[in-house]
Amino acid sequence: MAHASVASLTRTIESLLTSNSPMQSLTCDHREEISDLHAKISTLEVVVKNYEKNNVCGEMTDFKVEVKEVASAAEHTIQLRVTEVVLANDEKTHERLSDTLQLVAEDIDRIWKVSTKIQDKGKQVSAGSLVQDFSSSTNNILNVNNNMVGRDDQKERLLENLTGNYSGEPKVIPIVGMGGIGKTTLAKEVYNHESILHHFDVRAWATVSQQHNIKKILLSLLQSTIKMDDAIKTKGEAELADMLQKSLKRKRYLIVLDDIWSCEVWDGMRRCFPTEDSPGSRILLTTRNNEVARDAGIENLSMQMNFMNQDESWNLFKSAAFSNEVLSFEFETIGKKIAEKCHGLPLTIVVVAGLLKSKGAIEDWESVAKDVTSFITNDPDELCSHVLGLSYNHLTSDLITCLLHFGIFPEDSEIPAKNLMRSWMAEGFLKLGNDLEAEAEKCLQELVDRCLVLVCKKSLDGTKIRSCKVHDLIYDLCVIEIQRENIFIMNDTVLDYSYSECRYLSMQKMQPFKRVTGDEIDYCPYGLYRELLTPVHRQLRDHDNNDLLKRTHSIFSFHLKDSYFSGLQSELIHFKLLKVLELRDILIDNFPVQILSLIWLRYLSLQCHVNLDIPPEICKLWNLQTFIVQVPPVFIGRSVLITYPEEIWGLMQLRHLKVSKFYLPNPPNVSADKGSHMGFSNIQTISYLSLDCCTNEVILGIQNVKELGINGYEINFNSIRDSGLLNNLVHLQQLETLSFIGCFPLFPASASAFPATLKKLMLRFTLLSWSDLDIIAELPNLEVLKVMDYACRGEEWHPNVRRFARLKLLLIEYNDLKYWKATDDNFPVLERLVLNECRYLKEIPIEFAEIHTLQLIELTRCLPELGESATRIQKEQEDLGNNPVDVRISNPYDEFDDDEDDNDDYDDDDDDDEENSYVDVAKDNDNEDSDADAAERDDN
């Protein structure tokens, strides 16, 4: 990827020229050289992007290799020289930087001359080239992966097999077929079917995959069967298996094990499921392996997934490419030919449809039809690979880079979207600007629209992607392309038993191209580090190529257990060019001072279990965009305070500051004028800021923030009782999402204390009265309200005549509410009502039947009477001639239930659990098709 290398170099040069960069004073003598170089590289970036877009052949391939070599070597060398200037700042280091800039400029000039010749040749290429920089409409999103088209007969048969009256042991039903045939889609369709929701007491889903992990499978299933606490995650496989079996006893359960590859996995899991006292229970498997199906299932219940017929193929293609719009005869004719050439393989159909979704010219369709025809083969696997490659080659260069990044995660990982996008920013994939997050979201949505990325979870209001993954065939494509394009080298360093050896990551331990896959991961008792290294380049000296630590630009931790920050700490100083340092699974008890020398760091994630003071030298990390300090699960509930120094305000590039609770001092003055203070001009997310830090100076310093969390735990309210701190929030005119956690006796008495821009509000453990919500009702643009974990006290809620004028989603969970009286006037545009663990509430106001916009009522662990109330509202709507509300009830609460059967499905999705683990256990038991699907809770 020549463009990716040039783009990364451009981002590095831009960071040196940023007006508020601390590097300005150090590089002022070289500013003219750097500016000239930036102009040349920016022009080259556009040219290379157009070359890759137009797919010029022949000489183009050699040219791309040359550009990539020069750009990567230039960035590497410039970063080293600038680092020397920062550390020494003497005449010699400045001379070396000047020499390097001159040599890089000469290389760019040489490349530019070659590009001019090829550019002339490129003008002769047909203007009708398929690869165009289309942008999909974000207002018309169709995620066909979550909406099954066709397969009606198989779906009905499967529903009958799942709910039929079979006696004896739980029945195992395998769904068998090749990759991309639609096994998982069919399983999800029935898993979330209304008849299944009512038929089974418990439903649980786990994705197994080729690189399986038994403990993760057990944890994924347990999330739906018991109330998960942090101690459970530390237990061994045997204990977890025993807990799972006990939680399923005497219940009618449905277990889905998706993507099983071997009989050994099934043999290891089957003992976890009780065979007695569980009549009517079912275990649904999806597998490519007929041997697994024969070993696990009953022959007459096994379901073989066949290729789609011509009509089904066309219906799926039309749904994916056109959202079932009316088509002209020309498009329908060529579309049917394309669908037919996909040989009935659903994954191939939706990928090709995704490719064509944004192409409005019939000539483009005809060209794709020819390309698909050229890939005709009798081997469906080979056909699928060809078509995936076709769609991949039609991506723009920036989308290719973002897609390939999925290849660094373990296969079948469900990846939190925010962490994924923040790492894209840190790696330099996205052009610097005021709204990097919007650009990242656009790229992710584009990949979803093209059916290359699967959405696993959305926010409760359905507007945001919370987590995602790629199909395993696309994952394989990513890994192959990373190696073929020589984009970076992945290296895995395993941590073993020996304390003296296992925790050290050094040049001697690093072996390029070494990767841990499959079952090997289970034999990494302390987990592993995955490093991303810059490839070897002819442009670099042998010394620089051989220095693996200097070539390392990212470090991620996976599957780490019981690890404390020791050996790696001393080595960090040698990773001079590190951009991403993700160590959320390694406990620290003091801030590693070695990190302070990593001046190119953009993404830093740590984990601590004690109060932590960040040193003043933190201001040296002038490139830092994301700073996360996480409290490990076993320490949640313990008061851990992170204290930042005044110098933190010097991190002018900071965009995301995520900490369980932190103290932020007032910003320093920027001039003799005491009313003028420093501020985070690029800040997007801050949580959780200690309540006593909400001074006028701090709030003005973060006035561009869009998401803010405030922590009110362990605050001396007597000292701030008359301060009116929360009234300062009115200055946050960009704020859209606000979260309060902890006791808030000083809650504002008027909605005027909040910015009018506020769209989402989450209250948790705030111990307000229900009447306080009348204040919130006055917020003019509030669309989402979450009242969680005893946010409000009391048994009665009677909203007054004030209206939640724009509220679309209301989530209420864990409270003592018994009586709720409200009318449709109180919630005139409500679309979704989600009630979780409302164990005393027996009735939803019947007036909700008159809310014409109401689409969904979802109840989890609530009394049966509340479910009956929701059903009455549904019937009342039908009687009124309205579209009836969708009522979903899961795990009804029995007043005599034991606490261990609690479920904890509904978590906050704005303050995302993606900060808890970069790649966590995939929560496939959640309804991926549901817009009201709960994403993750932020346990910060």
Side-chain angles (χ1 to χ4, degrees):
M1 285 294 297
H3 176 260
S5 299
V6 177
S8 183
L9 173 59
T10 306
R11 303 297 89 80
T12 295
I13 297 297
E14 286 173 349
S15 69
L16 297 175
L17 294 172
T18 304
S19 59
N20 53 15
S21 167
M23 286 303 300
Q24 275 206 307
S25 60
L26 293 174
T27 59
C28 59
D29 294 338
H30 313 280
R31 186 164 185 81
E32 186 176 347
E33 298 169 276
I34 296 174
S35 297
D36 290 344
L37 183 59
H38 176 255
K40 293 179 180 181
I41 296 172
S42 297
T43 305
L44 182 63
E45 181 182 3
V46 174
V47 171
V48 173
K49 185 173 184 178
N50 288 333
Y51 284 164
E52 292 186 341
K53 183 174 71 173
N54 291 316
N55 200 23
V56 180
C57 301
E59 191 175 357
M60 182 62 206
T61 302
D62 294 335
F63 175 68
K64 285 166 58 177
V65 172
E66 182 73 7
V67 170
K68 184 178 181 301
E69 289 266 344
V70 169
S72 297
E75 181 179 20
H76 183 87
T77 309
I78 289 174
Q79 287 181 323
L80 284 177
R81 299 298 168 261
V82 171
T83 303
E84 292 171 353
V85 170
V86 172
L87 297 179
N89 195 20
D90 56 23
E91 184 177 349
K92 184 177 180 180
T93 58
H94 279 275
E95 287 178 358
R96 294 184 69 185
L97 174 58
S98 184
D99 292 343
T100 294
L101 294 173
Q102 183 177 348
L103 288 173
V104 170
E106 291 173 358
D107 284 339
I108 297 299
D109 286 338
R110 177 173 53 82
I111 291 292
W112 178 254
K113 290 178 181 178
V114 178
S115 74
T116 304
K117 296 178 181 178
I118 302 179
Q119 192 173 10
D120 293 336
K121 181 181 296 187
K123 291 177 182 177
Q124 303 170 14
V125 177
S126 170
S129 176
L130 260 178
V131 190
Q132 301 177 36
D133 193 8
F134 291 107
S135 59
S136 298
S137 169
T138 56
N139 297 320
N140 186 25
I141 298 167
L142 172 67
N143 186 0
V144 283
N145 299 295
N146 289 343
N147 297 277
M148 192 174 73
V149 178
R151 308 286 197 191
D152 293 337
D153 292 343
Q154 288 181 306
K155 179 176 123 178
E156 291 304 318
R157 177 189 158 196
L158 186 55
L159 286 170
E160 182 179 338
N161 289 341
L162 289 170
T163 58
N165 186 22
Y166 293 95
S167 59
E169 295 184 358
K171 299 298 183 289
V172 180
I173 304 175
I175 303 176
V176 191
M178 65 168 289
I181 198 71
K183 304 182 295 297
T184 302
T185 302
L186 176 60
K188 288 177 183 175
E189 187 77 10
V190 298
Y191 182 80
N192 295 305
H193 195 272
E194 185 176 2
S195 64
I196 297 297
L197 295 177
H198 292 293
H199 184 76
F200 291 97
D201 301 320
V202 177
R203 298 175 307 132
W205 181 298
T207 298
V208 180
S209 80
Q210 188 173 11
Q211 299 178 26
H212 66 275
N213 182 300
I214 296 296
K215 181 174 180 177
K216 282 194 171 185
I217 297 170
L218 293 169
L219 285 171
S220 186
L221 295 174
L222 282 167
Q223 288 178 30
S224 294
T225 65
I226 65 172
K227 182 177 178 61
M228 293 286 287
D229 60 44
D230 303 313
I232 291 175
K233 297 178 182 179
T234 65
K235 296 183 181 296
E237 290 179 11
E239 287 182 277
L240 293 174
D242 184 60
M243 292 176 66
L244 178 61
Q245 186 173 81
K246 289 178 178 178
S247 69
L248 295 175
K249 277 188 177 179
R250 295 182 295 280
K251 292 179 181 176
R252 182 189 294 164
Y253 59 81
L254 170 62
I255 301 294
V256 179
L257 297 178
D258 182 38
D259 198 20
I260 291 187
W261 283 69
S262 68
C263 296
E264 289 77 15
V265 179
W266 168 243
D267 290 339
M269 290 296 302
R270 68 196 315 166
R271 292 184 291 272
C272 302
F273 309 123
T275 58
E276 299 177 357
D277 300 325
S278 298
S281 294
R282 299 288 186 271
I283 301 170
L284 186 62
L285 312 179
T286 73
T287 181
R288 305 181 186 193
N289 191 335
N290 278 294
E291 184 182 358
V292 173
R294 289 192 297 270
D295 183 55
I298 300 173
E299 185 175 353
N300 64 340
L301 294 181
S302 181
M303 178 170 290
Q304 183 75 40
M305 294 287 289
N306 298 316
F307 296 109
M308 286 184 157
N309 61 36
Q310 194 167 335
D311 289 338
E312 289 176 326
S313 297
W314 167 238
N315 288 334
L316 176 59
F317 180 89
K318 184 170 59 173
S319 173
F322 294 101
S323 302
N324 292 315
E325 297 173 5
V326 178
L327 305 179
S328 68
F329 175 78
E330 283 182 307
F331 277 101
E332 182 168 341
T333 301
I334 192 68
K336 285 184 176 180
K337 289 182 180 178
I338 294 173
E340 182 181 356
K341 297 301 181 183
C342 292
H343 289 239
L345 188 62
L347 180 62
T348 303
I349 294 169
V350 297
V351 168
V352 173
L355 169 65
L356 290 169
K357 185 184 296 185
S358 59
K359 299 185 185 300
I362 194 68
E363 293 81 11
D364 291 339
W365 284 58
E366 290 173 345
S367 181
V368 168
K370 292 177 183 177
D371 285 338
V372 174
T373 301
S374 69
F375 292 147
I376 291 177
T377 171
N378 293 324
D379 185 342
D381 282 315
E382 186 178 347
L383 171 65
C384 188
S385 297
H386 281 314
V387 172
L388 290 178
L390 171 66
S391 182
Y392 170 84
N393 290 330
H394 284 192
L395 294 174
T396 57
S397 52
D398 49 351
L399 288 178
I400 287 178
T401 310
C402 292
L403 177 64
L404 294 185
H405 201 60
F406 282 88
I408 73 171
F409 303 102
E411 185 179 6
D412 269 325
S413 295
E414 180 178 335
I415 307 167
K418 283 187 177 180
N419 282 352
L420 175 69
M421 292 186 289
R422 289 170 189 167
S423 66
W424 287 351
M425 299 176 206
E427 295 285 2
F429 297 164
L430 307 173
K431 189 172 183 179
L432 292 178
N434 292 330
D435 204 345
L436 275 173
E437 289 71 21
E439 186 67 25
E441 288 181 7
K442 179 182 176 183
C443 287
L444 180 58
Q445 189 61 63
E446 182 86 7
L447 293 172
V448 170
D449 289 345
R450 292 173 181 265
C451 304
L452 293 170
V453 172
L454 307 175
V455 175
C456 298
K457 293 185 177 67
K458 287 187 176 181
S459 58
L460 282 174
D461 61 358
T463 61
K464 298 285 187 180
I465 298 173
R466 290 301 176 203
S467 63
C468 57
K469 64 191 296 185
V470 292
H471 192 281
D472 50 4
L473 292 177
I474 295 175
Y475 179 83
D476 292 341
L477 174 69
C478 290
V479 174
I480 291 170
E481 287 299 313
I482 288 172
Q483 295 175 352
R484 189 181 72 84
E485 293 275 2
N486 198 27
I487 296 174
F488 51 76
I489 298 171
M490 281 189 283
N491 172 77
D492 288 347
T493 302
V494 178
L495 306 184
D496 56 35
Y497 287 105
S498 169
Y499 185 89
S500 62
E501 298 177 0
C502 73
R503 303 173 195 277
Y504 286 82
L505 176 60
S506 66
M507 190 186 307
Q508 288 71 36
K509 294 283 286 185
M510 293 175 67
Q511 302 173 37
F513 299 104
K514 177 185 175 183
R515 292 193 62 207
V516 178
T517 58
D519 296 342
E520 293 177 319
I521 293 179
D522 294 333
Y523 297 97
C524 301
Y526 290 95
L528 57 88
Y529 297 112
R530 176 161 293 169
E531 307 93 34
L532 306 186
L533 283 72
T534 301
V536 171
H537 289 301
R538 292 170 296 175
Q539 304 287 332
L540 294 176
R541 298 173 303 172
D542 290 342
H543 171 74
D544 289 331
N545 273 324
N546 293 333
D547 192 335
L548 302 183
L549 301 189
K550 287 182 180 178
R551 282 174 45 209
T552 302
H553 60 79
S554 299
I555 297 178
F556 299 90
S557 59
F558 294 117
H559 312 297
L560 266 63
K561 312 170 191 175
D562 307 323
S563 295
Y564 281 82
F565 200 74
S566 54
L568 178 59
Q569 182 170 347
S570 61
E571 296 287 343
L572 279 177
I573 194 170
H574 301 297
F575 291 92
K576 296 184 182 298
L577 307 187
L578 208 59
K579 295 178 182 177
V580 175
L581 181 59
E582 191 280 303
L583 300 176
R584 71 185 64 245
D585 294 314
I586 302 178
L587 285 176
I588 62 173
D589 50 20
N590 57 73
F591 190 86
V593 295
Q594 292 83 356
I595 289 178
L596 301 174
S597 65
L598 307 179
I599 66 171
W600 300 102
L601 201 62
R602 295 174 182 165
Y603 184 106
L604 174 61
S605 178
L606 303 173
Q607 183 175 207
C608 74
H609 60 102
V610 294
N611 291 347
L612 197 65
D613 291 332
I614 306 299
E617 293 80 7
I618 191 68
C619 61
K620 292 181 179 179
L621 304 185
W622 51 279
N623 279 299
L624 198 62
Q625 297 173 347
T626 298
F627 192 176
I628 300 171
V629 183
Q630 180 67 39
V631 176
V634 294
F635 292 100
I636 294 297
R638 176 187 295 185
S639 177
V640 177
L641 177 67
I642 310 300
T643 301
Y644 287 100
E646 185 181 77
E647 288 78 4
I648 187 73
W649 292 98
L651 300 183
M652 309 304 286
Q653 303 303 320
L654 194 64
R655 307 183 73 86
H656 304 283
L657 186 57
K658 299 283 289 185
V659 184
S660 60
K661 180 182 178 182
F662 67 91
Y663 176 81
L664 188 63
N666 287 341
N669 297 331
V670 295
S671 66
D673 178 10
K674 292 185 178 181
S676 179
H677 296 83
M678 295 180 68
F680 294 136
S681 58
N682 293 306
I683 199 70
Q684 303 290 307
T685 307
I686 286 187
S687 66
Y688 279 90
L689 179 66
S690 182
L691 173 60
D692 53 357
C693 294
C694 294
T695 62
N696 188 63
E697 292 80 5
V698 168
I699 294 301
L700 289 177
I702 62 171
Q703 58 185 309
N704 292 328
V705 72
K706 292 183 179 179
E707 297 182 27
L708 174 64
I710 300 177
N711 190 321
Y713 280 128
E714 299 186 3
I715 298 295
N716 183 354
F717 290 103
N718 290 327
S719 64
I720 61 172
R721 185 169 301 280
D722 300 322
S723 63
L725 289 177
L726 291 182
N727 293 327
N728 294 322
L729 298 179
V730 72
H731 299 300
L732 303 178
Q733 293 302 309
Q734 305 296 321
L735 189 66
E736 297 181 357
T737 300
L738 178 61
S739 302
F740 289 115
I741 183 171
C743 183
F744 276 84
L746 307 181
F747 200 75
S750 169
S752 62
F754 298 96
T757 54
L758 197 61
K759 294 181 179 180
K760 298 182 180 182
L761 178 63
M762 189 273 283
L763 306 173
R764 189 173 169 207
F765 295 117
T766 48
L767 302 181
L768 303 174
S769 67
W770 289 101
S771 61
D772 287 328
L773 297 187
D774 290 339
I775 298 171
I776 294 170
E778 296 179 355
L779 296 174
N781 293 299
L782 191 68
E783 297 180 357
V784 176
L785 175 61
K786 301 177 185 178
V787 185
M788 307 169 66
D789 297 316
Y790 296 98
C792 292
R793 295 176 297 178
E795 298 180 350
E796 300 185 16
W797 183 19
H798 304 285
N800 64 18
V801 292
R802 298 190 182 109
R803 305 193 308 169
F804 289 86
R806 295 193 178 183
L807 194 68
K808 297 179 180 179
L809 184 143
L810 176 61
L811 166 66
I812 303 175
E813 73 170 23
Y814 290 106
N815 55 69
D816 297 324
L817 185 64
K818 285 186 178 181
Y819 308 104
W820 183 13
K821 291 185 179 180
T823 70
D824 56 309
D825 289 333
N826 295 127
F827 304 95
V829 296
L830 190 69
E831 297 178 359
R832 295 171 175 81
L833 174 64
V834 181
L835 303 177
N836 182 37
E837 297 280 359
C838 296
R839 299 191 172 191
Y840 306 103
L841 186 64
K842 295 185 178 181
E843 187 173 14
I844 302 170
I846 190 63
E847 290 83 358
F848 275 42
E850 299 180 25
I851 302 177
H852 302 297
T853 55
L854 191 61
Q855 301 171 8
L856 173 70
I857 298 177
E858 186 149 358
L859 311 178
T860 302
R861 296 291 292 160
C862 295
L863 292 172
E865 293 91 335
L866 194 63
E868 295 168 3
S869 170
T871 304
R872 286 195 296 273
I873 291 174
Q874 186 182 49
K875 186 177 185 306
E876 181 75 13
Q877 283 196 327
E878 289 178 345
D879 294 342
L880 291 172
N882 300 328
N883 292 327
V885 64
D886 183 12
V887 176
R888 301 178 187 176
I889 303 173
S890 59
N891 300 333
Y893 172 65
D894 188 321
E895 294 178 84
F896 301 100
D897 271 358
D898 189 33
D899 285 342
E900 71 175 5
D901 293 330
D902 289 353
N903 197 354
D904 193 19
D905 283 342
Y906 277 95
D907 302 330
D908 178 52
D909 64 314
D910 292 316
D911 302 293
D912 41 292
D913 184 47
E914 49 227 69
E915 315 305 352
N916 291 338
S917 61
Y918 207 102
V919 178
D920 206 345
V921 177
K923 298 181 181 178
D924 285 311
N925 55 298
D926 288 333
N927 179 3
E928 291 186 4
D929 299 322
S930 169
D931 284 341
D933 178 44
E936 299 93 340
R937 182 192 303 272
D938 184 358
D939 286 329
N940 286 353

